Amino acid sequence: MDTTIRETWAKAISKGDATVERPPEALYNFWVRKGAVDETCKAPLAKASKEAREQAKEARMERLFEMQERAQEYAMEQQI
């Protein structure tokens, strides 16, 4: 198991959705559908991780744009 799978499993344990002996249902179902654990098992987790990074990046950009707008508004008020 790679780090992503272990982290996913650990988070599920902390939420009460899994135990050390019982993996999260999503991981278990994926393994049952795909067969043996190999590189393809990482794909759904990697995609979720990538999507989370993209969402975080979008949120940071939105905050940056808001800060720029406030700075521009402040500058306009100072000119008046």
Side-chain angles (χ1 to χ4, degrees):
M1 284 194 288
D2 69 357
T3 304
T4 305
I5 291 173
R6 288 191 304 270
E7 287 176 357
T8 301
W9 199 332
K11 287 177 186 175
I13 290 171
S14 69
K15 287 195 242 176
D17 296 335
T19 66
V20 174
E21 296 85 19
R22 184 180 52 87
E25 190 173 340
L27 281 177
Y28 178 80
N29 291 337
F30 180 77
W31 291 333
V32 168
R33 282 192 320 270
K34 294 295 183 180
V37 177
D38 59 12
E39 288 298 313
T40 60
C41 293
K42 297 177 186 177
L45 299 174
K47 181 179 178 184
S49 179
K50 181 179 179 181
E51 289 172 356
R53 286 192 307 272
E54 293 280 335
Q55 289 174 350
K57 180 179 177 182
E58 288 175 15
R60 286 192 304 271
M61 291 300 292
E62 189 173 314
R63 285 193 303 270
L64 177 62
F65 289 136
E66 289 171 359
M67 289 172 58
Q68 287 176 328
E69 284 179 352
R70 279 187 253 142
Q72 288 174 346
E73 289 171 2
Y74 179 76
M76 293 292 287
E77 289 174 2
Q78 295 302 311
Q79 290 178 355
I80 295 178

